[in-house]
Amino acid sequence: MTKDKEPIVKSFHFVCLMIIIVGTRIQFSDGNEFAVDKSKRGLIHVPKDLPLKTKVLDMSQNYIAELQVSDMSFLSELTVLRLSHNRIQLLDLSVFKFNQDLEYLDLSHNQLQKISCHPIVSFRHLDLSFNDFKALPICKEFGNLSQLNFLGLSAMKLQKLDLLPIAHLHLSYILLDLRNYYIKENETESLQILNAKTLHLVFHPTSLFAIQVNISVNTLGCLQLTNIKLNDDNCQVFIKFLSELTRGPTLLNFTLNHIETTWKCLVRVFQFLWPKPVEYLNIYNLTIIESIREEDFTYSKTTLKALTIEHITNQVFLFSQTALYTVFSEMNIMMLTISDTPFIHMLCPHAPSTFKFLNFTQNVFTDSIFEKCSTLVKLETLILQKNGLKDLFKVGLMTKDMPSLEILDVSWNSLESGRHKENCTWAESIVVLNLSSNMLTDSVFRCLPPRIKVLDLHSNKIKSIPKQVVKLEALQELNVAFNSLTDLPGCGSFSSLSVLIIDHNSVSHPSADFFQSCQKMRSIKAGDNPFQCTCELREFVKNIDQVSSEVLEGWPDSYKCDYPESYRGSPLKDFHMSELSCNITLLIVTIGATMLVLAVTVTSLCIYLDLPWYLRMVCQWTQTRRRARNIPLEELQRNLQFHAFISYSEHDSAWVKSELVPYLEKEDIQICLHERNFVPGKSIVENIINCIEKSYKSIFVLSPNFVQSEWCHYELYFAHHNLFHEGSNNLILILLEPIPQNSIPNKYHKLKALMMQRTYLQWPKEKSKRGLFWANIRAAFNMKLTLVTENNDVKS
């Protein structure tokens, strides 16, 4: 998250380390095809099968005892060689005469006692520290190393002019290992270091500090001392040792690593450094021994800006807390960091304090810290990470009398909100607030500074952002990742919100109008949520497509479907659902319209094909057949009573009775006519079906009059149905008068089909042709039938 103010101390805490890196940084990459890692392999010599183009070679932590020219000569492109933690005792620099590009050589932590010089001009980083040299291993050829930035050395004794060959070089970092330094009683050695920005001295880790060496420096900017063991007796020896090192006006950064001391000696060291030009004092891994008593400390004018103490081990269990805390609380400096310590409290300064930055990370402070403290009037940044804070309301009260406070970090505590009914009180100046990794719930939004710009609430127990919250109109950045939120917050209460981090929550159906309500959004991170890829998500995905990829962080890789199962793991960018499947109203209208069109179409077809008429015919025929099934089995044996049933229009009866019937009866053909053979009392349909079934043939006299007769069509329908039911050819069509196709109604499509598919006999107007007509009629009755009369008499 963006910080309006970055603490000054962080910009200078590691300034010495940055000096080391500048000009000497070598990138080691496992993915680099020219980097070879042979560390921790149990090697006793340099492998011969190394790639010729090797540029970076790591053979540290092996058992190599010597180096030869043949080991290195074929690696002409080698730039970095790490041989630390081996067993090399003798070094001949001519081994590297064919490695003209070698810039980085690490031979630290070996057993080197002697070095043979050879002109080498390419070194930028040369580390010979933590070896067994009696004197500093300086060759006159080192004076030609114009690009040298880092030099690590070891020695048991020092002489003033040991570094004369490289006095003209401008080194960034000198590491001097004095662990094995031989201490001579009542004799002081000296060493002159002319041009070095950083000097790091390492002493024996378990021996009391007793070194008496005058080390004079000219341009030293950073001093780092490691392994300092002090008590009240040798404290003055250490201070005397520092007096020469801290004499120069350029020393700004002083660091003590792994220091064991009494409280009295530590206060004396502070008092000694207070008037010095040192601006940044760093102490890492401090152990306090023996006792802690009240010590006099004069807070004179000082150039010290920042004191950092990280990881304190207190071996004194009974002591005056006031004696301990007062020394720190009354310091007249701008920045104080005391982290990873067993401190349970910090006193409020007695007078208005100069502190602008306080960092008490990983202590055991409680809610009573700085309670009713009105002297921190200049404090701008307060960091209380990883303490024992529990009540957010009390944290707000703590800041009430800090009018300059802008940045407050109380993350990684056990803070809870909602315990108090009254409104929270905060310093109105707070603009950055870190409340992450606590136990806060939705109620936290009712207990926030009114002018906050950056708010970090990630890793809490927030399930929703209440609608009724105090409007945070200045809020620009909000981090609520790793909570249990189910939706993206709108910007109604956060009108200036431009950065939102809400990944790893429970957002399944984000609001589609989020981007419309948050017009100022320039960055949003909402991935790794259990998105449910259903219709509700469709509009949100559609709106995402219109947002720049620079705004949507992690898109599309972190945005995937979690439900339904068929979409699980699929990117949201590939999720698509049609408008029809998601819009219920549109779906109903579409189905209704389709059904309406279908109904209209079916109705039109029914009217066009006269489907009701045919349905009625089928119904009546079915009823007749059903009644026939109820007749006893012996009566079901069908016997024909007529040769032919004649169907005709009443308008054509004159021709039927004067021409057709007389001729057929003259030929001894039994005719069934409706006017004489229909049984009274039965329905017309039933009489038609009975006559057709009792007749061998059905003769239809076709004419325009026939077309207009509905009963004729009944008879034709049942006769045609009987044709297929019986499997016989029992229809005879006589065309009495021509019938134009366009005169046949569409509902009588069966008549059209029969006239197109079957052969019919046309009645000729010329008498000369009628003989052939009657011959065809006779041919249709060429089968001799046994007919049963109405009285069941058999007649041939």
Side-chain angles (χ1 to χ4, degrees), residues 412-595:
W412 292 97
N413 279 278
S414 300
L415 288 172
E416 294 181 354
S417 57
R419 290 185 179 182
H420 304 268
K421 293 183 179 180
E422 57 265 43
N423 294 330
C424 295
T425 303
W426 294 89
E428 293 188 359
S429 56
I430 296 177
V431 293
V432 178
L433 178 59
N434 190 344
L435 294 171
S436 63
S437 301
N438 279 287
M439 302 173 66
L440 301 169
T441 59
D442 305 356
S443 59
V444 68
F445 288 95
R446 298 187 178 93
C447 185
L448 293 172
R451 298 179 183 176
I452 190 170
K453 293 182 179 180
V454 180
L455 176 60
D456 190 346
L457 283 166
H458 82 266
S459 301
N460 276 283
K461 297 181 178 181
I462 301 171
K463 294 183 179 180
S464 65
I465 298 178
K467 299 291 184 183
Q468 303 299 325
V469 297
V470 177
K471 288 192 175 182
L472 303 175
E473 297 181 352
L475 186 64
Q476 299 175 4
E477 301 182 20
L478 175 61
N479 185 347
V480 286
F482 293 95
N483 279 281
S484 301
L485 291 164
T486 58
D487 197 2
L488 300 181
C491 293
S493 301
F494 317 124
S495 56
S496 300
L497 191 65
S498 59
V499 176
L500 174 63
I501 303 174
I502 193 171
D503 56 310
H504 293 92
N505 273 270
S506 300
V507 179
S508 56
H509 297 105
S511 302
D513 60 350
F514 170 77
F515 292 103
Q516 283 72 26
S517 66
C518 299
Q519 296 291 332
K520 296 181 180 180
M521 193 64 59
R522 56 182 174 82
S523 176
I524 175 173
K525 185 179 181 182
D528 297 299
N529 274 290
F531 295 108
Q532 294 191 13
C533 292
T534 56
C535 290
E536 289 82 358
L537 195 68
R538 182 173 173 270
E539 286 300 318
F540 177 75
V541 175
K542 184 178 179 181
N543 292 338
I544 281 181
D545 291 337
Q546 302 173 2
V547 177
S548 170
S549 58
E550 297 178 356
V551 173
L552 201 60
E553 188 176 343
W555 178 265
D557 296 338
S558 299
Y559 296 76
K560 296 182 179 180
C561 298
D562 185 69
Y563 177 87
E565 192 66 32
S566 57
Y567 279 101
R568 186 185 294 273
S570 301
L572 257 60
K573 68 180 181 65
D574 298 333
F575 168 68
H576 301 287
M577 293 190 76
S578 65
E579 178 72 24
L580 183 61
S581 61
C582 291
N583 191 325
I584 300 300
T585 303
L586 180 60
L587 181 61
I588 293 174
V589 170
T590 302
I591 293 176
T594 303
M595 295 299 293

Side-chain angles (χ1 to χ4, degrees), residues 29 31-36 51-57 77-78:
S29 174
N32 190 338
E33 60 179 320
F34 302 119
V36 178
L52 296 178
K53 292 187 177 295
T54 299
K55 291 187 176 182
V56 178
L57 177 58
E77 298 184 17
L78 189 66

Side-chain angles (χ1 to χ4, degrees), residues 127-367:
D127 194 352
L128 301 173
S129 61
F130 302 100
N131 279 284
D132 298 333
F133 296 110
K134 291 183 178 181
L136 292 177
I138 298 294
C139 299
K140 64 177 182 179
E141 287 82 358
F142 286 1
N144 298 323
L145 298 175
S146 59
Q147 300 182 66
L148 189 65
N149 285 295
F150 179 97
L151 179 60
L153 302 171
S154 296
M156 296 181 184
K157 60 180 182 179
L158 300 174
Q159 294 183 7
K160 184 175 182 179
L161 301 180
D162 279 347
L163 298 178
L164 183 61
I166 60 170
H168 60 286
L169 298 181
H170 295 275
L171 300 178
S172 295
Y173 197 104
I174 292 181
L175 170 60
L176 187 55
D177 168 30
L178 298 177
R179 294 176 309 156
N180 299 323
Y181 181 76
Y182 179 71
I183 301 173
K184 300 177 182 179
E185 293 185 9
N186 302 321
E187 184 177 340
T188 301
E189 294 182 340
S190 62
L191 180 68
Q192 186 174 10
I193 301 175
L194 297 179
N195 296 305
K197 295 179 180 178
T198 299
L199 175 61
H200 184 186
L201 303 177
V202 181
F203 304 100
H204 196 280
T206 61
S207 299
L208 284 172
F209 187 88
I211 294 179
Q212 301 184 46
V213 178
N214 290 329
I215 300 178
S216 59
V217 291
N218 290 343
T219 59
L220 192 63
C222 299
L223 175 62
Q224 184 171 346
L225 306 181
T226 299
N227 298 333
I228 309 295
K229 192 171 183 179
L230 303 173
N231 58 25
D232 293 345
D233 296 329
N234 72 337
C235 189
Q236 186 58 38
V237 176
F238 180 67
I239 292 175
K240 183 179 179 182
F241 176 79
L242 291 180
S243 61
E244 187 68 27
L245 285 171
T246 58
R247 189 185 302 275
T250 59
L251 181 63
L252 301 179
N253 194 298
F254 182 30
T255 300
L256 296 171
N257 288 319
H258 297 283
I259 175 171
E260 179 183 298
T261 180
T262 60
W263 175 248
K264 180 178 182 179
C265 183
L266 181 63
V267 173
R268 289 180 63 188
V269 171
F270 286 158
Q271 191 71 77
F272 168 77
L273 293 172
W274 218 249
K276 298 295 181 180
V278 175
E279 295 184 358
Y280 299 91
L281 175 58
N282 313 303
I283 302 176
Y284 303 109
N285 298 295
L286 169 64
T287 301
I288 300 177
I289 60 173
E290 295 186 8
S291 63
I292 298 178
R293 298 185 180 89
E294 187 172 344
E295 303 291 340
D296 293 332
F297 192 94
T298 303
Y299 298 99
S300 58
K301 185 177 180 182
T302 181
T303 59
L304 189 66
K305 295 179 179 178
L307 170 62
T308 299
I309 304 177
E310 293 186 5
H311 190 70
I312 297 179
T313 301
N314 187 4
Q315 295 184 357
V316 182
F317 302 105
L318 296 176
F319 61 93
S320 169
Q321 294 187 14
T322 303
L324 177 66
Y325 299 141
T326 302
V327 171
F328 297 110
S329 64
E330 301 302 323
M331 286 184 171
N332 54 335
I333 59 176
M334 290 192 299
M335 292 172 282
L336 174 63
T337 297
I338 301 177
S339 64
D340 192 13
T341 74
F343 285 12
I344 61 174
H345 196 61
M346 180 54 60
L347 296 177
C348 179
H350 289 104
S353 173
T354 58
F355 287 134
K356 290 186 176 182
F357 176 93
L358 290 176
N359 181 358
F360 296 113
T361 297
Q362 203 168 348
N363 286 276
V364 283
F365 291 174
T366 63
D367 295 326

Side-chain angles (χ1 to χ4, degrees), residues 620-621 623-629 631 635-636 638-642 644-645 672-673 677-698 714-715 718-719 722 726:
Q620 292 179 351
W621 181 83
Q623 292 175 355
T624 302
R625 299 293 293 182
R626 186 179 296 112
R627 286 196 296 271
R629 291 193 190 99
I631 300 175
E635 294 183 21
L636 284 176
R638 183 171 179 263
N639 292 298
L640 299 177
Q641 295 181 8
F642 307 100
F645 166 72
C672 178
L673 297 173
N677 295 106
F678 278 13
V679 179
K682 291 186 177 182
S683 67
I684 296 176
V685 172
E686 191 172 359
N687 273 309
I688 291 173
I689 293 174
N690 286 336
C691 285
I692 290 174
E693 289 185 341
K694 291 180 179 181
S695 299
Y696 173 55
K697 298 284 187 179
S698 293
Y714 272 111
E715 294 166 351
F718 289 123
N722 194 59
E726 297 287 342

